[in-house]
């Protein structure tokens, strides 16, 4: 029997013996934990694929567990055995005669292990502190060594640690001191046990860390969709979104759906939607991620327009469950990122509509249009670009409809309705893009010094996205000219009107599409500063087709390297002297490049009506059989 002098040694040896006896169960649990981590990438990808669809995620997870013969509750087995042993220890300490011990055997120095620390007080308060400390040390070790805990997120690890330390503090205070001693030794020896288990079965040899990290990043990207980097707060539109989501799926047999990222995208659909409303009876289901979208006001005045507010995150789930005949979007990269084709219906026709009038293979990401069925093309020049990409990457042929570009037609109407400006000097609009190393970030001061005080009226109109993302930079640019006393320079930071663009005599930009819209509508020339190109597809040169963004720069105006800015006022003067010539040339170029100018809404609308009608007739024929 143990005596007072070797009671602690006996307790440690007893704890060590239990760890040795339980080693086979530990190995079993280690294997189960490694299996869980091996499955984690596939579980993450299930969550990515069915993001927001809790029922499907649960079903797919259960199916994966069954296929891999994983037992989620197996990890709790050591804890259950630990509790059983703990209950036995309580009886031994409480009634030492069960183990042939005397009351004297329960004394070690001045500590009576048969007392409760919270009642005894004094030195006994060391017991809960030591229990909590041992649990803290064990948690740190397990976060590094245990395969399951090592793969927990930071907050998960901290939560587990907090719970473990809290339980240990309570046990150390409210159970007998002898039981607390067992708990402390058990925690510390568990570190040794985990080290032995890692030697027997090394998790690093069985876990694909690269695949795990890739899947984790994909899931994090989805979870962060719609986040603005600020502290989470209640969404005032949550109830509205929930009601609109339910209302959308309550409608059966939806034929046509439009999706708009925000209020600014309606202008690209407008001509087509107006034609559909005038020449068909189709109901337009219009989803937007902007709660202030003007579509809701339009829907109030027209029963055939139904607007739905769906935020970016909820949109992921809605798109996966989409149940319409046709979906029209200006958003590229379908299937490549978080927005997927429907899992509910495989026969939906996805139609892409351009929101810029240029090439498809440099500015768009690699594979941006690969998963669309139909493309409403701006002009003939886009067809060889798309067909070449299909050939290079062995893609099925898409339907390519020669549609045109409705936004340009809208701008044309606005321009034609404008009163001719009355001015005494030429107006130069500086309209940079918002990409890296744009004019504002690289050469704005050189450009303004060259243009100011030389008979020009200069308006600097940054891209709205630049102001949104880099407000401080914009403030710094404006502040540098706060003391300028001339009246020939202004900064335009109100973007509600396009008037300042189209009543200009010339536009200076880097890679902004505004310059092409300006030159194609007014015919007037543009000056392009050769800052670094915006290239989202590094493989664009494989097509062997020069993008229009590059080819047209020296056709609608001139392009200058940044070192040629000094002296550019003279070049601009030459352009102005040949303005009428440029107007004739640029308008002719526009009519060559842009298909069906003035009729794009009719062409796009007719295609949609005809395609929907064919689908309806095919469905009726199939039902008749």
């Amino acid at each position: 029997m143990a005596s007072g002098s070797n009671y602690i040694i006996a307790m440690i040896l007893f704890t060590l013996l239990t760890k040795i006896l339980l080693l086979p169960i530990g190995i079993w649990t280690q294997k189960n934990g490694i299996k869980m981590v091996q499955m984690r990438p596939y579980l993450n990808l299930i969550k990515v694929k069915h993001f927001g669809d809790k029922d499907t995620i649960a079903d797919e997870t259960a199916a994966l567990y069954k296929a891999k013969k994983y037992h989620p509750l197996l990890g709790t087995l050591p804890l259950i055995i630990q509790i059983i042993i703990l209950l036995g220890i309580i009886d031994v300490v409480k009634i030492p005669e069960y183990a042939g011990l005397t009351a004297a055997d329960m004394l070690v120095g001045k500590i009576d292990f048969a007392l409760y620390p919270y009642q005894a007080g004094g030195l006994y308060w060391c017991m809960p502190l030591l229990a909590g400390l041992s649990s803290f040390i064990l948690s740190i070790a397990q976060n590094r060594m245990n395969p399951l805990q090592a793969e927990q997120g930071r907050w998960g690890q901290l939560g587990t640690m907090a719970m473990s330390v809290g339980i240990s503090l309570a046990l150390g205070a409210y159970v007998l001191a002898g039981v607390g001693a067992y708990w402390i030794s058990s925690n510390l020896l568990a570190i040794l046990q985990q080290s032995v288990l890692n030697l027997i079965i090394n998790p690093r040899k069985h876990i694909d860390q690269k695949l795990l990290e890739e899947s984790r990043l994909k899931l994090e990207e989805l979870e962060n969709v719609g986040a603005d980097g600020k502290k989470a707060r209640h969404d005032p539109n949550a109830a509205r979104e929930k009601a609109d989501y339910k209302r959308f799926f309550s409608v059966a047999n939806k034929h046509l759906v439009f999706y708009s990222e925000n209020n600014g995208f309606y202008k690209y659909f407008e001509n087509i939607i107006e034609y559909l409303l005038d020449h068909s009876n189709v109901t337009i289901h219009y989803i937007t991620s902007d709660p202030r979208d003007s579509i809701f006001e339009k829907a109030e005045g027209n029963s055939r327009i139904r607007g739905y507010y769906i935020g970016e995150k909820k949109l992921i789930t809605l798109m996966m469950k989409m149940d319409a005949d046709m979906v029209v979007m200006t958003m590229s990269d379908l299937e490549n990122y978080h927005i997927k084709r429907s899992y509910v219906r495989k026969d939906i026709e996805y139609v892409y509509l351009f929101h810029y009038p240029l090439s498809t293979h440099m500015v768009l990401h690699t594979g941006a249009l690969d998963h669309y069925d139909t493309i409403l093309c701006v002009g003939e020049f886009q067809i060889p670009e798309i067909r070449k990409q299909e050939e290079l990457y062995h893609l099925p042929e898409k339907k390519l409809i020669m549609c045109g570009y409705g936004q340009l037609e809208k701008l044309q109407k606005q321009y034609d309705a404008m009163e001719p400006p009355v001015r005494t000097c030429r107006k130069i609009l500086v309209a940079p893009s918002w990409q890296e190393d744009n004019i504002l970030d690289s050469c704005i001061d050189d450009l303004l010094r060259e243009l100011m005080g030389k008979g020009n009226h200069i308006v600097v109109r940054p891209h709205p996205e630049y102001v949104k993302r880099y407000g401080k930079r914009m403030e710094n640019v404006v502040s540098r000219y706060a003391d300028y006393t001339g009246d020939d320079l202004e900064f335009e930071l109100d973007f509600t009107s396009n008037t300042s663009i189209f009543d200009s005599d010339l536009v200076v930009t880097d890679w902004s599409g505004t310059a092409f819209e300006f030159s194609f509508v007014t015919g007037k020339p543009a000056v392009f500063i050769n800052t670094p190109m915006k290239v989202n597809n590094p493989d664009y040169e494989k097509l062997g087709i020069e993008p229009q963004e590059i080819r047209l720069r020296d056709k609608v105006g001139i392009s200058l390297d940044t070192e040629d800015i000094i002296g550019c006022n003279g070049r601009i003067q030459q352009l102005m002297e040949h303005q009428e010539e440029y107007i004739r040339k640029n308008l002719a170029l526009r009519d060559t490049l842009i298909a069906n100018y003035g009729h794009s809404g009719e062409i796009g609308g007719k295609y949609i009506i005809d395609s929907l009608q064919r689908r309806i007739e095919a469905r009726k024929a199939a039902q008749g059989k």
Side-chain angles (χ1 to χ4, degrees):
M1 293 298 108
S3 64
S5 60
N6 63 12
Y7 180 80
I8 292 179
I9 296 175
M11 181 65 75
I12 293 172
L13 290 174
F14 170 77
T15 308
L16 180 61
L17 180 62
T18 61
K19 297 295 182 186
I20 294 172
L21 292 174
L22 294 175
L23 189 61
I25 293 177
I27 293 173
W28 191 22
T29 306
Q30 176 90 341
K31 289 180 179 179
N32 200 61
I34 290 173
K35 188 180 291 185
M36 176 66 216
V37 180
Q38 288 174 329
M39 290 191 300
R40 184 67 58 81
Y42 305 102
L43 292 171
N44 288 342
L45 293 176
I46 287 173
K47 292 177 182 177
V48 168
K49 183 177 181 180
H50 304 286
F51 189 80
D53 188 350
K54 295 180 180 179
D55 293 337
T56 303
I57 289 172
D59 292 342
E60 293 284 325
T61 299
L64 182 62
Y65 283 171
K66 184 176 180 180
K68 298 294 183 180
K69 298 180 180 178
Y70 171 74
H71 306 283
L73 297 179
L74 192 59
T76 64
L77 187 58
L79 179 61
I80 294 170
I81 295 173
Q82 180 89 314
I83 292 171
I84 293 171
I85 294 173
L86 189 64
L87 294 173
I89 294 292
I90 290 174
D91 280 343
V92 168
V93 176
K94 198 170 186 179
I95 310 175
E97 291 84 355
Y98 283 175
L101 301 174
T102 66
D105 292 325
M106 304 308 296
L107 292 171
V108 177
K110 296 182 179 180
I111 299 292
D112 185 345
F113 280 89
L115 293 179
Y116 293 95
Y118 82 97
Q119 290 178 337
L123 191 61
Y124 284 85
W125 281 114
C126 291
M127 191 59 68
L129 294 176
L130 291 172
L133 179 60
S134 68
S135 181
F136 178 75
I137 294 170
L138 173 61
S139 295
I140 292 176
Q142 292 283 58
N143 287 344
R144 296 184 178 183
M145 299 164 59
N146 183 282
L148 263 180
Q149 283 186 225
E151 292 307 322
Q152 273 189 315
R154 178 174 175 78
W155 289 109
Q157 290 180 342
L158 290 174
T160 302
M161 178 186 289
M163 183 175 67
S164 178
V165 171
I167 291 172
S168 295
L169 287 170
L171 280 173
Y174 293 100
V175 300
L176 298 168
V179 179
Y182 164 75
W183 188 258
I184 293 168
S185 61
S186 179
N187 281 341
L188 296 176
L189 287 173
I191 299 173
L192 176 62
Q193 183 188 44
Q194 186 63 57
S195 300
V196 172
L197 289 172
N198 283 358
L199 286 174
I200 296 172
I201 307 174
N202 188 346
R204 295 176 182 237
K205 294 182 179 180
H206 300 274
I207 297 171
D208 187 339
Q209 292 293 339
K210 183 180 178 182
L211 181 62
L212 184 61
E213 183 63 18
E214 288 175 353
S215 69
R216 183 189 292 119
L217 290 174
K218 286 183 180 179
L219 183 57
E220 284 180 0
E221 182 183 353
L222 279 185
E223 290 172 340
N224 290 329
V225 167
D228 58 6
K230 299 177 182 178
K231 186 177 180 180
R233 58 183 181 273
H234 174 68
D235 180 2
N237 295 298
R240 176 185 174 186
E241 179 187 56
K242 183 177 181 180
D244 280 5
Y245 184 91
K246 183 177 181 180
R247 182 165 57 91
F248 180 80
F249 284 109
S250 69
V251 180
N253 301 318
K254 291 185 287 290
H255 297 302
L256 179 61
V257 173
F258 285 82
Y259 170 65
S260 172
E261 295 170 63
N262 60 53
N263 187 43
F265 283 82
Y266 179 77
K267 60 190 177 186
Y268 302 111
F269 300 125
E270 186 171 7
N271 289 7
I272 291 175
I273 288 177
E274 287 178 351
Y275 184 88
L276 292 171
L277 292 173
D278 291 341
H279 297 85
S280 77
N281 60 359
V282 66
T283 297
I284 294 165
H285 299 272
Y286 194 100
I287 301 168
T288 174
S289 294
D290 186 346
R292 295 174 295 279
D293 201 304
S294 61
I295 195 66
F296 299 110
E297 184 179 344
K298 292 178 173 64
E300 289 179 2
N302 194 317
S303 61
R304 284 174 50 211
I305 299 177
R306 300 187 186 181
Y308 309 86
Y309 164 65
I310 305 295
E312 291 180 73
K313 186 168 287 189
K314 194 69 173 176
L315 179 71
I316 299 169
T317 308
L318 182 141
M319 285 296 185
M320 287 192 298
K321 295 182 175 182
M322 180 62 68
D323 61 346
D325 289 327
M326 179 183 289
V327 177
V328 183
M329 298 192 286
T330 62
M331 183 176 64
S332 57
D333 291 300
L334 179 67
E335 281 283 326
N336 292 342
Y337 297 105
H338 55 282
I339 300 301
K340 309 294 184 183
R341 291 177 65 107
S342 175
Y343 295 125
V344 174
R345 283 188 58 176
K346 302 299 182 184
D347 64 336
I348 296 176
E349 181 179 1
Y350 285 86
V351 179
Y352 182 77
L353 180 68
F354 285 93
H355 56 85
Y356 65 98
L358 300 170
S359 286
T360 62
H361 58 302
M362 185 176 81
V363 175
L364 290 179
H365 293 105
T366 307
L369 304 180
D370 287 359
H371 299 283
Y372 277 93
D373 303 295
T374 303
I375 310 293
L376 300 182
C377 295
V378 170
E380 288 278 356
F381 67 92
Q382 291 181 335
I383 292 180
E385 297 171 356
I386 295 171
R387 292 297 184 223
K388 188 63 177 180
Q389 289 183 80
E390 291 171 347
E391 178 188 333
L392 283 174
Y393 301 108
H394 309 291
L395 302 170
E397 280 198 357
K398 304 169 189 64
K399 294 179 188 174
L400 302 183
I401 308 301
M402 204 53 52
C403 181
Y405 189 58
Q407 169 62 0
L408 208 59
E409 298 166 7
K410 276 193 62 183
L411 295 174
Q412 187 74 59
K413 289 180 181 179
Q414 293 172 12
Y415 177 69
D416 292 343
M418 287 173 56
E419 291 292 331
V422 177
R423 61 169 66 97
T424 58
C425 63
R426 60 177 173 258
K427 178 181 176 182
I428 298 176
L429 178 72
V430 180
S433 65
W434 61 273
Q435 68 198 61
E436 196 68 26
D437 295 323
N438 61 76
I439 288 174
L440 289 171
D441 291 339
S442 62
C443 58
I444 186 64
D445 294 324
D446 290 340
L447 180 62
L448 293 182
R449 277 194 297 269
E450 177 64 23
L451 298 178
M452 291 188 304
K454 297 181 180 178
N456 304 310
H457 179 70
I458 308 146
V459 177
V460 179
R461 180 183 168 110
H463 194 288
E465 195 68 21
Y466 184 87
V467 176
K468 176 183 174 182
R469 291 173 180 250
Y470 313 116
K472 288 293 184 184
R473 292 190 202 172
M474 192 67 237
E475 289 175 12
N476 289 337
V477 173
V478 174
S479 66
R480 292 203 295 271
Y481 296 89
D483 297 328
Y484 179 64
T485 57
D487 60 358
D488 59 347
L489 173 65
E490 67 175 290
F491 290 90
E492 184 174 294
L493 303 178
D494 181 355
F495 309 111
T496 55
S497 171
N498 287 326
T499 301
S500 66
I501 298 177
F502 294 102
D503 72 355
S504 300
D505 295 301
L506 180 137
V507 167
V508 180
T509 188
D510 37 44
W511 295 92
S512 173
T514 297
F516 293 107
E517 291 181 347
F518 169 80
S519 292
F520 285 162
V521 167
T522 69
K524 298 172 186 175
V527 174
F528 298 90
I529 307 298
N530 294 329
T531 60
M533 287 194 302
K534 182 179 181 180
V535 179
N536 288 321
N537 178 5
D539 299 326
Y540 79 92
E541 291 179 325
K542 289 183 179 179
L543 271 68
I545 301 173
E546 185 178 32
Q548 298 290 349
E549 293 89 330
I550 299 173
R551 191 179 74 84
L552 294 178
R553 288 167 81 82
D554 287 311
K555 289 185 177 294
V556 302
I558 60 171
S559 60
L560 300 173
D561 293 332
T562 52
E563 57 265 29
D564 296 329
I565 288 176
I566 306 303
C568 71
N569 189 63
R571 301 289 300 276
I572 289 173
Q573 180 64 37
Q574 292 174 8
L575 284 177
M576 292 295 94
E577 291 171 359
H578 295 85
Q579 188 181 75
E580 291 302 318
E581 180 183 335
Y582 269 104
I583 289 174
R584 289 193 299 273
K585 185 174 68 172
N586 285 342
L587 294 184
L589 180 62
R590 176 201 69 195
D591 292 339
T592 301
L593 289 173
I594 310 299
N596 303 304
Y597 199 68
H599 303 283
S600 65
E602 176 186 354
I603 302 301
K606 280 184 176 178
Y607 172 76
I608 290 172
I609 293 169
D610 291 346
S611 180
L612 290 176
Q613 189 61 42
R614 285 194 298 270
R615 285 171 169 269
I616 293 169
E617 291 173 357
R619 196 153 46 234
K620 286 180 179 178
Q623 291 171 350
K625 293 181 180 178

